[in-house]
Amino acid sequence: MKLVVFDVDGTLVDSQHHIHGAMTRALEFAGLEPVPRPRILGTVGLSLPAAIAQIAPEADAPTQARILACYKAAYFQARMAQDAPLYAGAKACLETLAARDDLLLAVATGKSRRGLMALIEAHGLSGMFVSLQTADDHPSKPNPEMLLAALDEAGVATEQAVMVGDTTYDMEMARAAKVKGLGVAWGYHADAALLQAGAERVSRDFPALNNLIEEWMA
């Protein structure tokens, strides 16, 4: 068996509006000035504490804790109002891969488990993944722990796995775990940055990604 591990935000789900809006409100609640949108989206993929530390490095620990709590509340409200959409072609790609009897799928994400489970239910993805690794249980990317945990849970060796993600954190995590990394161009980090961070290839859309995975499986 082989294993494909997917990141979520910026890879499967277009959650940029939820993330930017929630973080902007959280900073306002904490009495801090708003920061540019690219700076916020550039931290997508990190666990929330690590992202907030980058976005508001001047804030003390209690202030960062307030930002964290407010962000979670604001993001939950945004999600309840409207689920972040899957990128075009994402579900078809997952269904194609999940139908194979020689391939397993997993998730390694900086999202919370509650947020991930809500997303899976909202988009009809239940039962597709053999392993769900979240920021609740592991250090932030690019630490390889969550990816190694997915390999262990799936019972797959590193050379039989590939990590798919949109950020340098995903590619650095894959490299640290000695797993092949495939980047996607529709997320939050530029192609050149993904390649520099260790991506072997960068796909322009989901059909191209599916073709790359098919080549790797051959």
Side-chain angles (χ1 to χ4, degrees):
M1 297 295 289
K2 292 190 175 183
L3 177 70
V4 179
V5 184
F6 283 92
D7 170 57
V8 175
D9 293 311
T11 300
L12 296 177
V13 177
D14 186 6
S15 50
Q16 60 179 306
H17 301 300
H18 285 9
I19 291 169
H20 176 257
M23 188 60 72
T24 298
R25 285 192 291 275
L27 293 171
E28 291 173 352
F29 176 79
L32 301 178
E33 293 294 323
V35 302
R37 184 186 186 93
R39 184 172 164 190
I40 292 174
L41 296 181
T43 66
V44 173
L46 297 174
S47 66
L48 264 178
I52 291 168
Q54 284 198 17
I55 292 168
E58 74 286 356
D60 58 21
T63 301
Q64 290 193 6
R66 287 197 298 274
I67 295 170
L68 177 62
C70 184
Y71 175 89
K72 287 182 175 180
Y75 190 90
F76 179 75
Q77 290 175 354
R79 182 173 59 76
M80 292 303 292
Q82 182 179 12
D83 288 306
L86 290 171
Y87 284 104
K91 190 168 186 179
C93 178
L94 291 173
E95 289 174 340
T96 297
L97 297 176
R100 296 186 64 127
D101 58 9
D102 56 351
L103 183 65
L104 301 171
L105 304 181
V107 165
T109 176
K111 297 180 79 67
S112 69
R113 182 164 292 273
R114 181 179 76 162
L116 176 61
M117 296 310 296
L119 181 149
I120 286 173
E121 181 178 356
H123 293 296
L125 305 179
S126 297
M128 282 194 176
F129 306 104
V130 299
S131 180
L132 301 172
Q133 303 300 325
T134 70
D136 293 344
D137 305 311
H138 303 289
S140 177
K141 299 174 184 178
N143 186 296
E145 185 178 303
M146 71 169 66
L147 183 50
L148 293 173
L151 291 168
D152 183 65
E153 190 168 354
V156 174
T158 55
E159 63 271 15
Q160 300 298 321
V162 62
M163 176 71 206
V164 178
D166 71 300
T167 70
T168 57
Y169 314 123
D170 297 311
M171 299 302 102
E172 290 166 359
M173 178 176 67
R175 186 168 58 187
K178 303 187 187 308
V179 167
K180 180 186 180 76
L182 294 177
V184 299
W186 52 83
Y188 304 134
H189 288 186
D191 295 14
L194 294 174
L195 292 167
Q196 186 175 8
E200 294 197 16
R201 301 277 292 277
V202 177
S203 296
R204 306 305 304 173
D205 53 31
F206 272 100
L209 175 63
N210 203 12
N211 289 338
L212 279 182
I213 293 172
E214 291 287 344
E215 290 176 15
W216 171 66
M217 291 290 296

